[in-house]
Every structure is written in structure tokens, then in C-alpha cells.
């Protein structure tokens, strides 16, 4: 493939994606489909290769998170219908007050995304965000941004999330130090997103339409039963992560580890959460015999889930086609031999995230390119390797837009118009990226 054509194709494809969704209001699935084919054809990718990678990307994404999104959507519907979302919203408001409800969501996202993938967490927590927006009359834009970018902060910086965990391994950085420093850096990263989210919320004000209204005097679930469908899956996934640590803190080959290896899998853990939500639902509506049916809560939730899964799958397909092109080699060749301190991993990570859409791929690629030259960059010491890892992650924040499936999950579950999503998420991700870079630079001055 011609390198110039690949770069031109990328620019045209991204322009088409943004123009089609923002100006033409074309459905995101078809916008992504159109952009994928434009990139493949203009870059000179053969039609067979194009179709193969589109199918593999679509299928792989749906297989990877499609079921999780579906289970999460059904769980969210049960939480809404039973009044659990109302209970959770009231509990959060008691802690933060109405004025700081968005901060409560950002902090929730910060902690939840450490063990749970952003996509799953976004689907699970979206009903709470919508209920809070309706109850407080705070813009859903602010709620969605605080939740989404709170999730984004720790997803990029704190193991055991796969991206930072993989980079720590590649760079041979001390995992405990990475977790501590990553958690520290992600605090200002989360706060910046929250502050900007409140400002954008005033500019792009809307309230969610699909929020279940509570009947007068309707009985609500207890706080324990309301939070359990979310908290228990998180606990199970965290325990599995701990059990899988190289030090084997829970032992090897015993019944506990074997059990956690099963019930700590995201799909199984979320399925357990869904069952708990169903129990809670029946405590409120014991006579509802249609909840499982096509016309009941399950059926209506699956209609919503199907559209989200298709959009996310198309986003995965677009990313797969980008990865199959010469784009990766072009970027690697362009930055081979670059020696500009922490800016090297930052810039490489930023370009890969913006072009390909995967923060994990961006971080891992950046780390893989730099692992052999850490000494030259002045980051060969134990703390230097941690700083290098954080710099890779800082670059990986930028730019969060339509070639990332999480972008579509966040926009869809929060009922956010695509044009608003494009006017907010990318800008805030840049602010998060620069904030993380500044924090990493300060850490470098202190420790190196």
C-alpha cells in the first residue's frame, strides 16, 4: 500500500465519519460502514482484504463485548423499572448533594473502571446517570461526560485494566508502583473532565427522555438490593484479578481460585448481577409474568441492546481495517530513533490512539517501540520505567472519537446526540491527555 495514499485515506475517512454523523445525521452504524469502505478503497486495500477485516473486526467486537453489553442493558432496564436506579440516585445525592451530583458520578466511574471494562461499566451505570439528570435537572451532557471520562481516567492509567497492565509488563515497571502512581495521576485527570463536563452541560443542555417515571407511592428497593447488581459483579471481577496475580495470593489450583476463575469472568459476573436485579424486580412487581417475554422488560431492553451492539461492532470493524493497513508501519518508521524524553512515548501513543481508536493498542505500541531505548531516553531506572509507562498512557488518552467503540457505547447509553458527543468527548480527552502529561512531567522532575 502506498504510504501517502494511506494518510490521505485516513483523513478522508475521518472527515466523512464526522461530517456524516454531525451534519447529515446519518445513523452511526452506516457512517462507520461508509468510512470503513472509503478508507479501504482509497488506501488501495483489496476488496477481499477489506471485507475480511471488516467481518473479523465486527465479529470480534460483538463476540468480545456484545453479550456483555446485552446483559448490562437488560440489567439496567431491570434497575430502572424496579426503582433501583432511583434508590441509587438518592443515595448518591445524599453523599454529594444535588449541586455535586456530577462529581459523585465521576468518582463512581473512577473506582468502577479499575476492575471493569469501560463499556460494561457505562452500560451498567447509565440508568443511574439518567435518573440523576432527571431528578436534579442537571444536563445529561454533564452527567454523561462525568461518568464516561471518570471511567476513562482509570481505564487508561491503573492496572489491572489490560492496557496499563500490559505496558507495565513490556517496560518491566514495578506493578505496585504503577498502580499507586497511576491512581494518583488519574485523580486530576478525572477532575479536569468533571469541570469541563459541567461547562459543556450548560452549553449543550438536554435531559434524557427514556427514564422510567416512578408511580406515586411506589415501593423502592433497599440500598443494598439496588447497588448489589453492580457492586457484586465488580467484587467478583476484582477477586479474580487478585487471584490471577503472578504472586498467587490465593494459592494455585484450589477450589476458591477455580471458582473465581469462572464467576469472576465479566460475562458470568454480570449475569449474576442481572439475576440479582431480577430478584429485586420481583420483590417490587411479584405479579409481572411477562418480564421475560418479547413484550416485557427483557424484550424491550434487547431491542435497545441490539442497536448499541451494531454500532459498537461497526466501530470495531473500522478499527480493524485501520490496523490492517500500513498505518502502523508508517507511524513506527516516522518515530524510530526519536529521543525527546517523555514526549516520545506521549506523542506515539497520542497518534496511535487518534488514528486507530484503541487506547490499549496505542499504549502497547508506544511501549513496544520504546522499550529498547529507555536508557537513551533517560528512563532506564525502576522509577523511570514507571514514568515511561505513565507517559504512554497519557498519550493514549488522545483523541477519543468515533473510531473507538467506547465512544459509541457512551453516546448511545446516555441518549447523547452524536453531534454533541463529537463536540465534547474529543475535546475533554485532549484535556485529560495534557493533564496526565503535566502530572507525569512533575513526577519525572521529582523522581528522576
Amino acid at each position: 500500500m502506498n504510504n501517502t495514499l494511506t494518510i490521505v485515506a485516513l483523513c478522508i475517512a475521518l472527515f466523512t465519519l464526522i461530517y456524516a454523523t454531525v451534519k447529515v445525521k446519518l445513523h452511526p452504524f452506516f457512517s462507520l460502514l461508509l468510512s470503513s469502505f472509503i478508507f479501504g478503497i482509497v488506501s488501495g486495500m483489496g476488496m477481499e482484504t477489506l471485507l475480511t477485516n471488516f467481518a473479523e473486526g465486527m465479529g470480534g467486537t460483538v463476540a468480545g463485548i456484545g453479550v456483555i453489553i446485552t446483559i448490562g442493558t437488560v440489567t439496567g432496564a431491570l434497575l430502572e423499572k424496579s426503582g433501583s436506579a432511583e434508590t441509587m440516585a438518592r443515595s448518591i445525592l445524599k453523599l454529594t448533594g444535588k449541586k455535586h451530583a456530577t462529581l459523585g458520578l465521576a468518582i463512581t466511574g473512577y473506582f468502577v473502571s479499575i476492575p471493569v471494562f469501560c463499556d460494561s461499566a457505562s452500560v451498567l451505570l447509565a440508568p443511574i446517570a439518567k435518573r440523576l439528570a432527571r431528578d436534579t435537572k442537571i444536563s445529561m451532557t454533564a452527567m454523561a461526560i462525568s461518568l464516561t471520562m471518570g471511567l476513562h481516567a482509570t481505564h487508561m492509567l491503573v492496572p489491572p485494566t489490560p492496557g496499563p497492565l500490559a505496558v507495565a509488563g513490556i517496560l518491566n515497571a514495578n506493578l505496585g508502583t504503577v498502580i499507586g502512581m497511576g491512581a494518583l495521576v488519574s485523580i486530576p485527570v478525572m477532575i479536569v473532565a468533571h469541570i469541563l463536563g459541567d461547562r459543556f452541560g450548560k452549553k449543550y443542555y438536554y435531559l434524557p427522555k427514556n427514564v422510567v417515571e416512578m408511580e406515586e407511592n411506589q415501593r423502592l428497593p433497599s440500598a443494598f438490593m439496588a447497588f448489589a447488581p453492580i457492586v457484586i459483579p465488580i467484587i467478583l471481577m476484582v477477586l479474580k484479578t487478585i487471584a490471577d496475580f503472578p504472586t498467587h495470593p490465593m494459592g494455585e489450583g484450589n477450589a476458591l481460585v477455580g471458582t473465581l476463575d469462572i464467576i469472576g469472568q465479566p460475562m458470568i459476573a454480570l449475569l449474576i448481577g442481572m439475576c440479582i436485579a431480577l430478584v429485586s424486580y420481583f420483590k417490587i412487581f411479584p405479579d409481572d409474568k411477562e418480564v421475560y417475554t418479547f413484550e416485557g422488560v427483557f424484550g424491550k431492553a434487547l431491542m435497545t441492546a441490539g442497536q448499541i451492539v451494531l454500532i459498537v461492532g461497526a466501530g470495531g470493524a473500522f478499527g480493524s481495517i485501520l490496523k490492517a493497513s500500513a498505518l502502523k508501519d508508517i507511524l513506527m518508521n516516522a518515530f524510530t530513533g526519536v529521543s525527546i524524553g517523555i514526549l516520545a512515548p506521549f506523542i506515539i501513543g497520542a497518534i496511535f490512539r487518534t488514528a486507530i481508536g484503541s487506547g490499549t493498542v496505542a499504549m502497547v505500541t508506544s511501549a513496544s517501540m520504546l522499550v529498547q531505548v529507555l536508557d537513551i531516553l533517560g528512563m532506564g531506572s525502576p522509577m523511570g520505567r514507571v514514568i515511561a509507562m505513565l507517559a504512554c498512557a497519557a498519550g493514549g488518552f488522545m483523541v477519543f472519537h468515533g473510531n473507538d467503540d467506547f465512544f459509541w457505547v457512551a453516546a448511545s447509553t446516555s441518549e447523547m446526540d452524536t453531534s454533541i458527543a463529537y463536540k465534547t468527548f474529543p475535546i475533554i480527552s485532549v484535556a485529560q491527555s495534557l493533564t496526565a502529561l503535566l502530572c507525569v512531567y512533575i513526577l519525572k522532575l521529582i523522581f528522576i
Side-chain angles (χ1 to χ4, degrees), residues 13-14 16-22 25-40 50 54 58 61 307-322 356-357 401-409 412 418 422:
L14 292 179
T16 300
L17 178 61
I18 296 170
Y19 184 81
T21 51
V22 175
K25 306 292 185 183
L26 183 64
H27 191 282
F29 175 80
F30 291 102
S31 296
L32 287 162
L33 182 68
L34 178 63
S35 300
S36 298
F37 275 74
I38 285 176
F39 176 81
L50 171 62
F54 186 91
M58 182 89 178
T61 302
Q307 185 166 206
I308 295 174
V309 169
L310 279 175
I311 294 171
V312 171
F318 184 35
S320 178
I321 289 173
L322 292 175
I356 295 176
H401 65 101
N403 60 355
D404 188 331
D405 52 14
F406 179 43
F407 177 93
W408 300 105
V409 173
S412 300
T418 305
Y422 265 112

Side-chain angles (χ1 to χ4, degrees), residues 373-381 384 444 448:
V373 293
L374 285 177
D375 289 330
I376 298 174
L377 295 172
M379 291 182 281
S381 66
K444 182 176 183 293
I448 300 180

Side-chain angles (χ1 to χ4, degrees), residues 74 77-78 81 277-278 281-282 285-302:
V74 174
L78 290 169
K81 295 284 186 179
L278 184 60
Y281 179 87
F282 277 129
F285 302 110
D287 299 325
D288 186 356
K289 306 302 181 185
E290 295 188 349
V291 62
Y292 317 104
T293 66
F294 191 89
E295 298 297 330
V297 176
F298 277 40
K300 292 177 181 178
L302 289 173

Side-chain angles (χ1 to χ4, degrees), residues 102-137:
T102 51
L103 178 59
L105 270 181
I107 294 171
T108 300
Y110 174 95
F111 285 106
V112 170
S113 192
I114 294 174
V116 180
F117 277 105
C118 284
D119 311 75
S120 308
S122 181
V123 173
L124 278 173
L125 297 173
I128 303 174
K130 291 195 287 186
R131 171 53 62 184
L132 281 171
R134 179 61 63 90
D135 289 349
T136 62
K137 305 304 179 186

